[in-house]
Amino acid sequence: MNKAQLVEAIADKLGGRQQAADAVDAVLDAMVRAVVAGDRVSVTGFGSFEKVDRPARYARNPQTGERVRVKKTSVPRFRAGQGFKDLVSGTKKLPKGDEVAVKKAPKGSLTGGASATVKKAAAKKATTAKKAAAKTAVAKKAAATAKKTTARKAATTTVKKTAAKTTVAKKAATTAKKAAPAKKAATAAKKTTATAKKTAPAAKKATATKAPAKKTATRKATAKKTTARKK
């Protein structure tokens, strides 16, 4: 029997197929949520469902015989009730007609059973949703903070680069100002040297011109002395 056949089997008792499908879905959903949350679901006369933790272990691959490491995990476990076992083994006879095979719960036992389980599951689901929302909010805040920090770093880097460029420009301007008088002095020195080079040939010529006049005067004086001696 599959789920659809189960719904068909109880549809007449619940007033229709849709009502039966909703009832089956609600029961299974409540049981699954309770077991996943770690609760034990026990149905009198039928059995109990619970979550069991399996430690890590070694197993063998049935095809190759290779030893394989199996990780720690959790599995659902169903334990049939004594009434269910007796009916299956034949110790007790199965009721005929429309009688329920599983014993009905005592009066007052359903006031806080299933509803409490559903409430616990809903509360845990809400808690999980809140935790997820909190994590999302923290992640968003972290992302915003990271963006702000990156923007600040970029702005600081830009300011530092601008300041460095301004400093280099100022140093270059100062160096240029200091070098200007030196250039002027070098230019003046070059002009003085050029002037000196131009006046040097004129001085040499003047010296060369004056030198013969002195020689001539000396010769005249020597000639006069010689004439006087002869007389």
Side-chain angles (χ1 to χ4, degrees), residues 133-145:
K135 287 182 180 179
T136 304
V138 171
K140 287 182 179 180
K141 287 183 180 179
T145 304

Side-chain angles (χ1 to χ4, degrees), residues 9-27:
I10 64 175
D12 295 337
K13 296 179 180 180
L14 296 178
R17 190 176 184 282
Q18 186 60 45
Q19 288 81 355
D22 293 340
V24 171
D25 289 338
V27 171

Side-chain angles (χ1 to χ4, degrees), residues 89-105:
S89 65
T91 305
K92 290 184 179 180
K93 293 183 179 180
L94 191 66
K96 296 181 180 180
D98 295 335
E99 296 182 12
V100 179
V102 178
K103 291 183 180 180
K104 293 183 179 180

Side-chain angles (χ1 to χ4, degrees), residues 5-186:
Q5 292 172 342
L6 177 62
V7 170
E8 290 293 341
I10 64 175
D12 295 337
K13 296 179 180 180
L14 296 178
R17 190 176 184 282
Q18 186 60 45
Q19 288 81 355
D22 293 340
V24 171
D25 289 338
V27 171
L28 295 179
D29 182 69
M31 292 174 65
V32 170
R33 289 181 182 278
V35 173
V36 170
D39 295 335
R40 185 171 182 269
V41 180
S42 179
V43 180
T44 305
F46 177 68
S48 61
F49 298 87
E50 59 184 342
K51 180 180 179 181
V52 179
D53 295 328
R54 281 186 180 176
R57 68 188 191 284
Y58 286 97
R60 291 192 179 277
N61 189 333
Q63 296 180 351
T64 61
E66 182 182 359
R67 194 181 185 191
V68 181
R69 173 74 174 178
V70 181
K71 295 181 179 180
K72 179 182 178 181
T73 185
S74 298
V75 295
R77 176 181 292 174
F78 170 71
R79 290 182 178 178
Q82 190 60 44
F84 194 6
K85 292 180 180 179
D86 293 341
L87 292 173
V88 173
S89 65
T91 305
K92 290 184 179 180
K93 293 183 179 180
L94 191 66
K96 296 181 180 180
D98 295 335
E99 296 182 12
V100 179
V102 178
K103 291 183 180 180
K104 293 183 179 180
K107 291 182 180 180
S109 62
L110 297 178
T111 55
S115 59
T117 304
V118 173
K119 286 180 180 179
K120 285 182 180 180
K124 288 187 177 181
K125 187 176 181 180
T127 304
T128 304
K130 287 182 180 179
K131 288 182 179 179
K135 287 182 180 179
T136 304
V138 171
K140 287 182 179 180
K141 287 183 180 179
T145 304
K147 286 183 180 179
K148 288 181 181 179
T149 304
T150 304
R152 288 177 183 174
K153 287 183 179 179
T156 304
T157 304
T158 304
V159 171
K160 286 182 179 179
K161 288 183 179 179
T162 305
K165 289 181 180 178
T166 304
T167 304
V168 172
K170 287 182 179 179
K171 287 183 178 179
T174 304
T175 305
K177 287 181 180 179
K178 289 181 179 179
K183 287 184 179 179
K184 288 182 180 179

